[in-house]
Amino acid sequence: MADVLSLFFSADFLFVIIRVGVPLLFASMSAYVASIAGIPNIAVEGIMIFGSLFGVYISAITQSAWLGLLGVIAVGLIMAIVLAFFTMKMKASPIMIGIALNLFASDFSVWLLLIWTGSKGTTASLPSKVLPTINIPFIEDIPFIGRVMSGHYFLTYVCIALAILVYILVYKTPFGLHMKACGIDEKAAESVGIKVNRVRLISVIISCILAALGGAYLSMGYLSIFSNNMTASRGWTGIAANAVGQGNFLIVLITTAIFATAQAVVNQLILFELPSELINTIPYICVLFAMIFLSIKQYNKNKVRK
């Protein structure tokens, strides 16, 4: 027991929380940016799958991790155009389009994997490249803090920077006010001169690129290959974190941190040879309790209104 407690109160454990929390943060930011503009992005999971697959493939054929990353951004842009076309132009349900894209990504990625590698499992046969880890000067020499904050993958620091930028965008700029106005009431937003479709299109583009970067983190940093179903419901976990936040970005961040801590606990407990089938349920139990809490909160709010 003393070994377990010492493990959880260590710099290494905080390092693991950050490492496993980055793809969850990409996913939750993706869901958040789209939802506050009035277009729920349920396709986060599928976009992450495509981002992770195409990042590996493009880096393999170009022999450049940076070109692979540009390809990931292009994939996010393409998915945004598809999502925006069907939801904004064709007026289809964002929920149904999101589910369709998730199913398409799950199956189409396996077919592409088979075509490109002859395997339905992984891209281990492709000579793909990975993004570098970054050691931060001066900070890496600080006891404890250096072990926590330095030595992460490149996309970890990109994610932190993007989280700050998303906060500034939503809370400190006129465009952020326009996003929230479009999400609350598009007719009222139009009446004061806000171009709703333009705001929503930009929001969807940002959302899909964030999701694609989350996928790239998994296959070009966290691991060095793409494997079938490697997202492991991280996209859905991000959607759940956004649902708990209900439009408050700080609460979304806190909820994401809780989910990341649960996943880090799983990673650490596996070292003690405990039953993996039981341990792997911990993050999903946290998500379940979060959704129960959200349901109770919403029920009480509706009860007060009546």
Side-chain angles (χ1 to χ4, degrees), residues 29 40 67 82 99 117-118 124 131 133 146 177 215 220 241 247 254 257 269 296:
M29 287 195 296
L67 290 178
V82 172
I99 292 173
T117 68
L131 295 167
T133 57
L177 291 175
M220 301 180 69
I254 293 171
L269 290 179
I296 294 173

Side-chain angles (χ1 to χ4, degrees), residues 2 23 26 32 56 58 67 71 93 107-108 117 142 151 161 164 179 181 183 192 201 213 222 235 265 293 297:
F26 271 122
Y32 173 78
V56 167
I58 295 173
L67 290 178
S93 167
D107 293 335
F108 190 60
T117 68
I142 301 175
I164 296 172
M179 292 170 68
V192 295
L201 176 60
L213 289 175
Y222 193 79
V265 169
F293 169 78
K297 181 180 178 181

Side-chain angles (χ1 to χ4, degrees), residues 34 39 80 83-84 88 199-209:
I39 302 289
L83 183 61
M88 296 167 56
V199 171
R200 287 181 170 175
L201 176 60
I202 295 173
S203 301
V204 168
I205 290 173
I206 296 173
S207 172
C208 291
I209 290 176

Side-chain angles (χ1 to χ4, degrees), residues 174-245:
F175 185 78
L177 291 175
H178 294 173
M179 292 170 68
K180 288 184 281 188
C182 293
I184 294 173
D185 190 331
E186 63 176 296
K187 298 297 184 183
E190 286 180 347
S191 68
V192 295
I194 297 175
K195 297 181 179 180
V196 174
N197 283 342
R198 185 178 68 178
V199 171
R200 287 181 170 175
L201 176 60
I202 295 173
S203 301
V204 168
I205 290 173
I206 296 173
S207 172
C208 291
I209 290 176
L210 286 170
L213 289 175
Y217 174 87
L218 294 173
S219 62
M220 301 180 69
Y222 193 79
L223 296 174
S224 59
I225 60 173
F226 171 83
S227 61
N228 187 20
N229 195 34
M230 77 179 306
T231 52
S233 299
R234 289 179 174 87
W236 293 111
T237 303
I239 292 172
N242 173 64
V244 173

Side-chain angles (χ1 to χ4, degrees), residues 76-292:
L77 180 60
I78 292 171
M79 295 296 287
I81 292 172
V82 172
L83 183 61
F85 174 77
F86 283 106
T87 56
M88 296 167 56
K89 181 70 175 179
M90 305 304 293
K91 304 299 181 181
S93 167
I95 305 300
M96 298 305 297
I97 297 303
I99 292 173
L101 288 176
N102 284 330
L103 294 174
F104 174 73
S106 178
D107 293 335
F108 190 60
S109 62
V110 175
W111 182 78
L112 289 177
L113 192 60
L114 181 62
I115 295 297
W116 291 339
T117 68
S119 168
K120 293 182 180 180
T122 70
T123 59
S125 61
L126 293 177
S128 57
K129 302 297 181 179
V130 295
L131 295 167
T133 57
I134 305 295
N135 292 313
I136 306 175
F138 304 112
I139 291 181
E140 65 177 332
D141 298 324
I142 301 175
F144 192 85
I145 295 176
R147 292 173 59 190
V148 174
M149 297 304 300
S150 183
H152 289 281
Y153 306 118
F154 169 75
L155 282 177
T156 299
Y157 303 107
V158 171
C159 183
I160 294 172
L162 288 175
I164 296 172
L165 290 176
V166 166
Y167 177 84
I168 295 173
L169 175 69
V170 173
Y171 290 99
K172 303 297 182 180
T173 67
F175 185 78
L177 291 175
H178 294 173
M179 292 170 68
K180 288 184 281 188
C182 293
I184 294 173
D185 190 331
E186 63 176 296
K187 298 297 184 183
E190 286 180 347
S191 68
V192 295
I194 297 175
K195 297 181 179 180
V196 174
N197 283 342
R198 185 178 68 178
V199 171
R200 287 181 170 175
L201 176 60
I202 295 173
S203 301
V204 168
I205 290 173
I206 296 173
S207 172
C208 291
I209 290 176
L210 286 170
L213 289 175
Y217 174 87
L218 294 173
S219 62
M220 301 180 69
Y222 193 79
L223 296 174
S224 59
I225 60 173
F226 171 83
S227 61
N228 187 20
N229 195 34
M230 77 179 306
T231 52
S233 299
R234 289 179 174 87
W236 293 111
T237 303
I239 292 172
N242 173 64
V244 173
Q246 291 186 313
N248 188 316
F249 188 55
L250 293 179
I251 296 178
V252 172
L253 293 179
I254 293 171
T255 306
T256 304
I258 293 173
F259 292 161
T261 302
Q263 184 60 58
V265 169
V266 171
N267 290 5
Q268 299 298 81
L269 290 179
I270 288 177
L271 300 176
F272 292 91
E273 298 182 356
L274 297 173
S276 60
E277 295 82 4
L278 178 61
I279 294 173
N280 286 329
T281 64
I282 292 176
Y284 304 104
I285 291 174
C286 287
V287 173
L288 177 62
F289 277 113
M291 298 312 295
I292 291 174

